[in-house]
Amino acid sequence: QVQLVESGGGLVQPGGSLRLSCAASGIDFGRDTMGWYRQGPGKKRELVAGITSGGSTVYGDPVKGRSTISRDNAKSMVYLELNSLKVDDTAVYYCHALTYGSRTEEHWGQGTQVTVSS
């Protein structure tokens, strides 16, 4: 049973910071590619950040320079730090995993709401 559980979302003022966490189970975490996606109101889901098992990272253009993705393989956790928050960062943030077995599969968490508002 694959399970990805996000936490850390909430209401934040513009200019503030937030740290999201994702706890993974049922996957070979140390070999898997992890990431964060988000979907705002009326928008398509977009990549926020991704990190491979080797530590290579990629960031979506809207958050480049103000976000950091990291992972702790011993704890099967992946984190997203987002700074200088903007109203346009308001979205549901989803934890994502690519797993590599007999075939490549993707898995999604339930999402956590981030609302940036004064």
Side-chain angles (χ1 to χ4, degrees), residues 51-97:
I51 183 168
T52 69
S53 61
S56 180
T57 59
V58 62
Y59 295 92
D61 287 338
V63 301
K64 286 181 179 177
R66 58 189 185 95
S67 66
T68 303
I69 187 171
S70 61
R71 65 193 296 164
D72 186 336
N73 289 347
K75 297 179 179 179
S76 295
M77 297 283 291
V78 61
Y79 308 96
L80 179 70
E81 294 183 19
L82 190 57
N83 304 311
S84 301
L85 285 161
K86 307 172 182 178
V87 173
D88 204 39
D89 292 322
T90 296
V92 178
Y93 285 70
Y94 298 92
C95 185
H96 176 265

Side-chain angles (χ1 to χ4, degrees), residues 2-10 18-25 34-39 45 76-80 91-97 107-114:
V2 177
Q3 192 169 3
L4 305 174
V5 181
E6 303 95 334
S7 62
L18 203 64
R19 190 193 196 202
L20 305 180
S21 300
C22 174
S25 61
M34 305 298 298
W36 291 92
Y37 289 75
R38 70 183 185 185
Q39 187 168 15
R45 188 171 298 185
S76 295
M77 297 283 291
V78 61
Y79 308 96
L80 179 70
V92 178
Y93 285 70
Y94 298 92
C95 185
H96 176 265
H107 307 275
W108 296 93
Q110 83 288 345
T112 184
Q113 176 71 49
V114 173

Side-chain angles (χ1 to χ4, degrees), residues 95-110:
C95 185
H96 176 265
L98 282 177
T99 62
Y100 311 100
S102 58
R103 62 181 183 273
T104 301
E105 298 180 345
E106 64 176 343
H107 307 275
W108 296 93
Q110 83 288 345

